[in-house]
Amino acid sequence: MSRTSGAEHAPSPFRQPKAVWAVAFACVISFMGIGLVDPILPSLSGQLNASHAEVELLFTSYLVVTAIAMLVTGWVSSRIGAKKTLITGLALIVVFAALAGASSGIGGIVGFRAGWGLGNALFIATSLAVIVGSASGGFAGAIVLYETALGVGIATGPLLGGLLGTVSWRGRSSVSRC
């Protein structure tokens, strides 16, 4: 009688439907948006004659709106469906990132960044539910994929922002629309 461990038969978190990988990749891009602006704060402050407090509002407006909007994201998703909520969130991210990149003043960028946060809340809160619901191999593998997307996105956002900052602060807003 041979002894086998349950780990040998555990499904791999890497064997997922294409839809799960697509949502996970979009999560990476979405989470990049959180830290993308960090390296451009000094540049924005100088080019737009903005105070330190004004440029810090880029984080505050984004994160406060994201946090508050997440409180109602489940309700929205239950009314219009997960797929429509994801698409709406991504569309808002794209529109508000483009508007932020085209804005000529710090007030506009802060406001558009808040709108970007609304889209992000709709997307990231719903994406976890979609990944868990669609992933093969159970809950644990789905959570690993989501957490990996979160970590990769947050870690690479400031790096990408710094690289794009060598071109222009507007370049960061443009790339984050992807």
Side-chain angles (χ1 to χ4, degrees), residues 50-141:
S51 70
H52 180 73
E54 288 173 319
V55 295
E56 286 299 327
L57 282 173
L58 292 169
F59 280 113
T60 304
S61 66
Y62 179 87
L63 293 173
V64 167
V65 169
T66 298
I68 292 169
M70 282 186 159
L71 295 172
V72 297
T73 295
W75 180 83
V76 170
S77 182
S78 70
R79 298 299 182 268
I80 67 172
K83 185 176 179 180
K84 285 184 181 178
T85 304
L86 286 175
I87 303 274
T88 300
L90 286 174
L92 288 172
I93 291 168
V94 169
V95 167
F96 283 110
L99 291 170
S103 184
S104 60
I106 192 70
I109 297 169
V110 168
F112 294 133
R113 191 82 170 133
W116 188 344
L118 173 62
N120 203 51
L122 292 170
F123 180 79
I124 62 175
T126 307
S127 64
L128 176 58
V130 168
I131 288 174
V132 168
S134 302
S136 59
F139 185 74

